[in-house]
């Protein structure tokens, strides 16, 4: 197993559980289990390698079971496979804030960042949680009416600085295809492609 992938997955699952308010991850022989306990998302398995995918999938039958696998394995027809994702990482040693464009204001909290438009509405936001020395970035969203104004970069820079100020030295996230280009421009690197899938009811 690639140690950089293993470490990033370990840090990400613990940070993701914190940002989502779920039970702490449980180590399994082939990765981690997170008991999410929500309708349609009962449990999640995160696997740092494709080597045990067949055995793991053979043991999973319950609707609401989710998988995140580092790699691009072939899954059976019972699995609904989501769009490609990417496990990414970034060093936080050179973090600096990016000012929001005119008409926007940044609000910070111990959980993350919100950018408010002049009418007070939330134009963009993002969460983070620190586990050990690593920050996990999660749920970065820009409202449709405020896209293409650089707000995603502002949110990410704020999360980097807040995490560094709290003692984190590196950060991880799982990006969608839509976010991949932005994160690369901001200095993030791909650690592994990720396949996400679930068993529908």
């Amino acid at each position: 197993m690639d140690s950089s992938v293993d470490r990033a997955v370990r840090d990400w699952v613990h940070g993701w559980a914190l940002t989502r308010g779920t039970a702490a991850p449980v180590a399994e022989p082939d990765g981690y289990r997170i008991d999410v306990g929500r309708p349609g998302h009962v449990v999640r398995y995160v696997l740092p390698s494709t080597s045990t995918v067949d055995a793991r999938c053979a043991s999973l039958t319950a609707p609401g079971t989710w998988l995140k696998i580092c790699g691009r394995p072939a899954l059976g027809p019972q699995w609904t496979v989501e769009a490609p994702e990417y496990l990414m990482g970034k060093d936080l040693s050179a973090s600096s804030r990016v000012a929001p464009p005119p008409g926007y204001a940044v609000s910070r909290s111990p959980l993350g960042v919100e950018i408010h438009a002049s009418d007070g509405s939330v134009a963009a936001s993002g969460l983070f949680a620190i586990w050990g020395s690593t920050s996990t970035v999660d749920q970065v969203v820009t409202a449709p009416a405020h896209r293409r104004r650089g707000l995603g970069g502002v949110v990410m820079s704020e999360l980097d600085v807040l995490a560094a100020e709290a003692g984190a030295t590196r950060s991880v996230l799982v990006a969608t295809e839509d976010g991949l280009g932005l994160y690369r421009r901001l200095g993030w690197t791909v650690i592994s492609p990720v396949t996400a899938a679930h068993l529908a009811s």
Side-chain angles (χ1 to χ4, degrees):
M1 184 182 298
D2 186 330
S3 60
S4 65
V5 173
D6 189 36
R7 177 187 177 192
V9 167
R10 178 199 65 196
D11 293 344
W12 181 82
V13 295
H14 285 88
W16 186 90
L18 289 170
T19 64
R20 303 293 176 120
T22 72
V26 176
E28 299 264 335
D30 59 347
Y32 298 89
R33 185 188 81 245
I34 305 174
D35 295 313
V36 180
R38 296 174 185 167
H41 196 165
V42 178
V43 62
R44 169 178 292 219
Y45 292 88
V46 183
L47 310 182
S49 167
T50 60
S51 61
T52 62
V53 167
D54 290 345
R56 172 58 68 182
C57 288
S59 70
L60 303 176
T61 58
T65 298
W66 283 74
L67 283 174
K68 275 196 188 289
I69 307 159
C70 289
R72 295 279 186 249
L75 298 176
Q78 72 273 31
W79 292 94
T80 299
V81 178
E82 307 293 319
E85 297 180 344
Y86 303 88
L87 178 64
M88 305 185 77
K90 183 182 181 181
D91 177 80
L92 295 178
S93 60
S95 301
S96 61
R97 286 192 165 97
V98 174
Y104 293 94
V106 176
S107 174
R108 307 174 186 91
S109 78
L111 300 176
V113 172
E114 289 184 345
I115 299 179
H116 294 268
S118 56
D119 63 0
S121 63
V122 177
S125 61
L127 302 178
F128 79 110
I130 296 175
W131 186 81
S133 60
T134 301
S135 169
T136 294
V137 173
D138 193 25
Q139 300 187 72
V140 176
V141 178
T142 301
H146 300 278
R147 290 176 182 166
R148 301 190 181 280
R149 302 182 189 183
L151 298 183
V154 176
V155 168
M156 295 301 293
S157 74
E158 289 287 342
L159 294 175
D160 285 353
V161 171
L162 288 173
E165 289 176 348
T169 59
R170 59 192 297 272
S171 192
V172 294
L173 59 76
V174 172
T176 63
E177 194 81 55
D178 288 343
L180 181 62
L182 169 64
Y183 299 139
R184 277 180 162 156
R185 290 194 297 274
L186 296 175
W188 292 75
T189 58
V190 173
I191 299 169
S192 174
V194 171
T195 298
H198 69 278
L199 292 173
S201 55

